[in-house]
């Protein structure tokens, strides 16, 4: 009798929603595990895992933090979503949707604040780049990140090549014994298409020359200005990426809440 009543009411968990949410989250979970693995491997290679106190020694930004934090959040959310969907666990599904909603809210708040306080963001970007110019030789991952940015945006320093005076290896002071004195990193150099082998010494002594002569060999525009220009030129693409991420988050929240409602409806008929 009770079975007939249960079927009559038709309360059941949607298999489509359940397994779609599971598939959605297992992809999320595996990506998080990959990011986390890359971050921990990078720290192991640098000896950070054997000396945890060295995390605070770097004066600039360690790009590995990005992999650790993003990977950790994705791993936890993916795990909660996977197990919650598979085991029909309402606690884990609620945790997943609330946590994802909180991240969405923080992203939205950050976007609004960045739009309202443009000048403050620009000042912070200047400060961030200047700090990392100082720490250029302190960490190989940071060094690679700065080199990539300078090559990609065809720039040098935050505002120009003279920002490299902030670095102890490249500054032009008389007491600097470095061979790189009054130079810039190779990533500032204008690439010669005829060169097959990368010349890592192309920036040596280049700042001893006049500004017009420097333009023949290195990029003289700052990375802050070039980044702003790139952002304006690619505003639709950047906005599209952020809207796409937001829609995925809203979609995940809706699926989780839908599944929670189905589970509650089934339990109400027991």
């Amino acid at each position: 009798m009770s079975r007939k009543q249960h079927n009559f009411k038709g309360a059941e968990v949607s298999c489509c929603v359940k397994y779609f949410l599971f598939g959605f989250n297992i992809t999320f979970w595996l990506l998080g595990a990959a990011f986390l693995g890359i971050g921990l491997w990078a720290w192991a290679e640098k000896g950070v895992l054997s000396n945890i106190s060295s995390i605070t020694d770097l004066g600039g930004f360690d790009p590995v933090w990005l992999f650790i934090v993003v990977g950790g959040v994705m791993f936890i959310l993916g795990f909660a979503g996977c197990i919650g969907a598979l085991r029909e666990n309402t606690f884990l599904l609620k945790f997943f949707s609330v946590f994802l909603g909180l991240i969405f809210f923080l992203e939205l708040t950050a976007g609004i604040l960045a739009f309202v306080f443009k000048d403050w963001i620009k000042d912070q970007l200047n400060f961030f780049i200047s700090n990392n110019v100082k720490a250029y030789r302190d960490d190989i991952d940071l060094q690679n990140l700065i080199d990539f940015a300078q090559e990609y945006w065809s720039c040098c320093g935050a505002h120009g090549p003279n920002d490299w005076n902030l670095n102890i290896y490249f500054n032009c002071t008389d007491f600097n014994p470095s061979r790189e004195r009054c130079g810039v990193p190779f990533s500032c150099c204008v690439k010669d298409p005829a060169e097959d082998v990368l010349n890592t010494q192309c920036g040596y002594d280049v700042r001893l020359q006049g500004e017009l002569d420097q333009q023949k060999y290195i990029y003289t525009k700052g990375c802050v200005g070039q980044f702003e220009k790139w952002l304006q030129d690619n505003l639709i693409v950047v906005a599209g990426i952020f809207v796409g991420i937001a829609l995925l988050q809203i979609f995940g929240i809706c699926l989780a809440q839908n599944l929670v409602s189905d589970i509650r409806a089934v339990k109400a008929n027991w």
Side-chain angles (χ1 to χ4, degrees), residues 189-253:
C189 295
V190 177
K191 299 296 177 288
D192 184 355
E195 282 186 352
D196 295 327
V197 180
L198 179 66
N199 180 10
T200 56
Q201 299 179 356
C202 58
Y204 284 14
D205 303 321
V206 73
R207 286 191 294 120
L208 293 172
Q209 303 177 34
E211 190 172 337
L212 288 175
D213 290 328
Q214 287 180 22
Q215 291 178 7
K216 299 175 186 175
Y217 306 104
I218 61 170
Y219 305 119
T220 54
K221 293 180 180 178
C223 290
V224 173
Q226 289 294 89
F227 175 70
E228 286 179 338
K229 182 178 179 297
W230 176 85
L231 206 56
Q232 289 171 359
D233 293 342
N234 297 275
L235 193 58
I236 295 174
V237 175
V238 173
I241 290 169
F242 278 103
V243 169
I245 292 170
L247 289 174
L248 275 176
Q249 290 171 329
I250 293 169
F251 182 62
I253 293 167

Side-chain angles (χ1 to χ4, degrees), residues 1-13 265-266 268-270:
M1 183 71 181
S2 61
R3 184 177 295 175
K4 287 180 181 178
Q5 187 179 3
H6 176 73
N7 289 336
F8 175 75
K9 289 189 175 181
E12 59 180 13
V13 174
V266 170
N269 291 321
W270 286 357

Side-chain angles (χ1 to χ4, degrees), residues 30-146:
L30 291 172
L31 280 172
F35 271 64
L36 199 57
I38 290 168
L40 292 173
W41 170 78
W43 267 0
E45 286 292 302
K46 292 191 288 189
V48 172
L49 295 182
S50 58
N51 182 18
I52 298 297
S53 63
S54 63
I55 292 175
T56 58
D57 292 343
L58 180 63
F61 170 70
D62 186 353
V64 176
W65 271 111
L66 197 60
F67 284 92
I68 297 289
V69 173
V70 172
V73 170
M74 288 176 69
F75 184 84
I76 292 168
L77 273 177
F79 177 80
C82 273
I83 304 302
L86 197 62
R87 303 295 300 170
E88 298 179 9
N89 187 307
T90 54
F91 174 78
L92 287 176
L93 288 170
K94 285 177 186 176
F95 171 81
F96 169 79
S97 57
V98 169
F99 200 178
L100 200 57
L102 181 63
I103 292 171
F104 174 74
F105 175 75
L106 290 174
E107 288 171 350
L108 188 63
T109 305
I112 294 169
L113 290 175
F115 181 77
V116 174
F117 300 104
K118 289 178 184 176
D119 293 336
W120 182 82
I121 294 294
K122 189 174 179 179
D123 290 340
Q124 292 305 306
L125 184 61
N126 289 334
F127 177 74
F128 175 78
I129 294 176
S130 297
N131 254 9
N132 288 298
V133 164
K134 291 178 188 176
Y136 177 74
R137 291 292 189 206
D138 295 351
D139 182 82
I140 187 63
D141 294 318
L142 174 62
Q143 185 175 315
N144 289 335
L145 180 64
I146 292 173

